[in-house]
Amino acid sequence: MVNYAPPELDRTFSALSDPTRRRILTQLLQGKRSISELAKPHRMSLPAVMKHLDVLSDAGLIARKKTGRTVVCTLQAKPLQNTVDWLLQYRRFWEERFDRLDAYLAHVQQGESDS
Amino acid sequence: MVNYAPPELDRTFSALSDPTRRRILTQLLQGKRSISELAKPHRMSLPAVMKHLDVLSDAGLIARKKTGRTVVCTLQAKPLQNTVDWLLQYRRFWEERFDRLDAYLAHVQQGESDS
DNA sequence: GCTATAGTTCACCATATGGTTAACTATGCG
DNA sequence: CGCATAGTTAACCATATGGTGAACTATAGC
């Protein structure tokens, strides 16, 4: 039922393995951003950031929409859901019971006001 | 509170990005295995599997214990927990509500008899 | 039309990754 | 001892990855 063979998980986990790309996703967590806005905080050239965005696009983690001369990127989190599904197979190995996840959900349930 | 800067997440996600390594973890989900037992199902040389095991060790995802001439590997899932913590930041982007996780936990709560 | 800004593409480079084969060490056992 | 089994190490190879600078296209605006 979980299974999740290679093709898609490969790209997702691989995309997430780079700190620059994780940081880009974190930037997008706060809303849509243009490419140059995304690039600004990173101490590397624009083409380098472009390559990271390509990797994120290939993994289906971002979408780009061109408006005028600027390209706006948005987060696409469905692939992340698949990785969580896969990872949760191992839950019982990191905790006898799932206290932490329980606590997390309790915390979340009473804090839906943001967004 | 979540943050999780680079160093450890890099290695964990990178280790998970290879299908052979994910399959090894899946093998270990069913209990401890020797290196040659782990290697058998994979269509590659033993040294190749050894390299994958090195990557998994460096990421803290497996532990090895030598007994006699055989080395037994066991799953170490704490790093996986960290990746889940990081990924759950994005939960609200893949679902308006967290129905799926809810359902998962409900399912799990009444099925603790295995292991 | 000219120029500045936004993004893209290309050629290049160093290093990492994932595999191989061959040769080695270490333990079990008849 | 002698040999088989378990695992390790080393040298090598092809390709992927993450970065660079230079040159290009496309839109905005005076």
Side-chain angles (χ1 to χ4, degrees):
Chain A
M1 51 179 69
V2 177
N3 203 333
Y4 291 118
E8 181 180 321
L9 278 186
D10 281 15
R11 279 193 297 272
T12 310
F13 279 127
S14 183
L16 293 173
S17 71
D18 184 275
T20 299
R21 288 193 289 265
R22 284 200 307 279
R23 193 171 174 202
I24 289 172
L25 293 181
T26 301
Q27 290 176 273
L28 292 175
L29 199 47
Q30 294 160 285
K32 51 184 62 172
R33 294 284 185 272
S34 74
I35 288 182
S36 41
E37 282 173 333
L38 286 175
K40 212 160 300 171
H42 302 275
R43 307 206 287 136
M44 64 182 69
S45 64
L46 228 206
V49 173
M50 290 286 300
K51 284 198 190 180
H52 286 298
L53 294 177
D54 288 344
V55 173
L56 290 169
S57 294
D58 290 349
L61 287 168
I62 63 169
R64 294 143 130 159
K65 180 152 179 282
K66 183 162 188 171
T67 314
R69 68 180 157 177
T70 81
V71 174
V72 169
C73 298
T74 55
L75 189 57
Q76 303 289 303
K78 295 96 185 169
L80 299 183
Q81 181 183 18
N82 293 338
T83 66
V84 170
D85 285 348
W86 188 89
L87 289 163
L88 285 178
Q89 291 183 288
Y90 297 86
R91 193 205 74 263
R92 68 183 173 93
F93 273 82
W94 72 67
E95 284 185 12
E96 282 305 284
R97 297 201 59 75
F98 35 89
D99 309 328
R100 198 189 178 86
L101 207 47
D102 260 7
Y104 174 81
L105 287 173
H107 166 71
V108 150
Q109 253 160 353
Q110 49 93 23
E112 289 288 296
S113 47
D114 53 308
S115 153
Chain B
M1 49 185 73
V2 177
N3 204 334
Y4 291 118
E8 180 180 321
L9 278 185
D10 281 16
R11 279 193 297 272
T12 310
F13 279 127
S14 183
L16 293 172
S17 71
D18 184 276
T20 299
R21 288 193 289 265
R22 285 200 306 280
R23 194 172 173 203
I24 289 172
L25 293 181
T26 301
Q27 290 175 273
L28 291 176
L29 198 49
Q30 294 159 285
K32 50 185 62 172
R33 294 283 185 272
S34 75
I35 289 183
S36 42
E37 281 174 335
L38 287 174
K40 211 162 297 169
H42 302 276
R43 308 206 288 136
M44 64 182 68
S45 64
L46 227 209
V49 173
M50 290 286 299
K51 285 198 192 182
H52 286 299
L53 294 178
D54 288 343
V55 173
L56 290 169
S57 294
D58 290 349
L61 287 168
I62 63 170
R64 295 143 129 159
K65 181 153 178 280
K66 183 161 188 172
T67 313
R69 68 178 159 180
T70 82
V71 174
V72 168
C73 298
T74 55
L75 189 56
Q76 302 290 303
K78 295 96 186 170
L80 299 182
Q81 181 183 18
N82 294 338
T83 65
V84 170
D85 285 348
W86 189 88
L87 288 163
L88 285 177
Q89 292 183 289
Y90 297 86
R91 192 206 75 263
R92 68 183 173 94
F93 274 82
W94 72 67
E95 283 184 14
E96 282 303 285
R97 297 201 57 76
F98 35 88
D99 309 328
R100 195 187 180 87
L101 207 46
D102 260 5
Y104 173 81
L105 288 173
H107 165 70
V108 151
Q109 253 160 352
Q110 48 91 23
E112 288 289 297
S113 47
D114 52 306
S115 153

